[in-house]
Amino acid sequence: MKYAYAAAALLSGLACQVAAHYTFPNLIINGAPSSDWEYVRETDNFQSLGPVTDVTSAAFTCYDTATSSSPSVASVPAGSSIGFKANGNPSSIYHPGVVNVYMAKATGDVSSFTGASGAVWFKVFQISAVTDGGQTITFPAENLPAVNFTIPAELPSGQYLVRMEAIALHVASSFGGAQFYIGCAQVEVTNGGSGTPGPLVAIPGVYTGNEPGILIDIYYPIPATYTQPGPAVWPPA
């Protein structure tokens, strides 16, 4: 029965991978999504909706190496809730997987900040998998139409890139199979605190692709535990 379930799940994942791609063109502020690409940098997949699979590529930072969009900068108070809305076919995080949200403080104007200048990124939010010792594995991010999170109240004021990363794991059992759906918004954080974000990581550089939460068969044998890729969330809960 387990083998039959695994085979059926894998075939379902393969059949859906083309039809179920997505982007994150809308930043959610005060509960309302912005216009498409108003504050989010237009990604290379704005038409194809396809993912990034090479975690070492230049596209892995903000997936905007082939576009030249000039989005506005959204003003968001520290401690407030913002988010990213999915758009695609369907308009949700369709695949089983997990979510990470990173931020990086711009050196100068955020509009010209690439985020690829070494260890400048820190994680502020994640949605992981839920396991129970090998009986089941579930993904709370699956089918979400949007991801909302809080700008840390301790975060110093300034301009930042906010990077949404949804990692689809339906065909992640071989190297390079995990699919990354990425979007970077430009924000100015106001009324900030005096915290020191960390640990800081480089993107690309944060992953090799061999991490147990990236190179993983989620169908059989069912994982007994799940290790979220990337650093710990700042600030600690």
Side-chain angles (χ1 to χ4, degrees):
M1 180 63 73
K2 287 185 176 179
Y3 286 106
Y5 170 77
L10 179 58
L11 289 173
S12 176
L14 290 171
C16 293
Q17 62 179 317
V18 173
H21 291 166
Y22 30 93
T23 61
F24 296 99
N26 315 106
L27 186 68
I28 300 170
I29 304 173
N30 295 324
S34 69
S35 302
D36 287 359
W37 315 116
E38 182 179 0
Y39 300 115
V40 180
R41 294 180 177 179
E42 187 175 78
T43 45
D44 298 350
N45 66 337
F46 76 98
Q47 290 181 316
S48 72
L49 310 183
V52 178
T53 56
D54 182 356
V55 300
T56 67
S57 67
F60 193 65
T61 309
C62 285
Y63 206 179
D64 62 346
T65 55
T67 61
S68 56
S69 64
S70 300
S72 300
V73 180
S75 179
V76 293
S80 64
S81 176
I82 65 172
F84 286 86
K85 180 178 177 294
N87 180 62
N89 181 26
S91 291
S92 67
I93 301 175
Y94 180 82
H95 296 301
V98 299
V99 164
N100 289 319
V101 178
Y102 292 90
M103 295 185 69
K105 190 170 186 179
T107 53
D109 188 343
V110 69
S111 298
S112 57
F113 178 61
T114 66
S117 53
V120 295
W121 295 91
F122 53 96
K123 190 193 290 186
V124 295
F125 183 73
Q126 66 183 25
I127 304 175
S128 193
V130 177
T131 59
D132 59 4
Q135 295 300 307
T136 63
I137 182 169
T138 58
F139 299 93
E142 186 177 5
N143 293 320
L144 286 181
V147 171
N148 292 281
F149 54 94
T150 300
I151 298 291
E154 303 94 322
L155 188 66
S157 299
Q159 293 193 338
Y160 291 83
L161 283 178
V162 187
R163 180 180 178 274
M164 169 69 184
E165 173 187 277
I167 311 174
L169 300 172
H170 58 298
V171 287
S173 59
S174 60
F175 183 82
Q179 299 179 353
F180 293 80
Y181 297 88
I182 297 165
C184 284
Q186 300 181 163
V187 305
E188 175 141 17
V189 175
T190 61
N191 301 318
S194 57
T196 303
L200 299 178
V201 297
I203 301 178
V206 62
Y207 312 133
T208 66
N210 287 301
E211 288 76 10
I214 294 175
L215 180 57
I216 182 174
D217 187 339
I218 63 173
Y219 301 113
Y220 187 82
I222 297 172
T225 61
Y226 181 80
T227 303
Q228 184 79 0
V233 170
W234 180 87

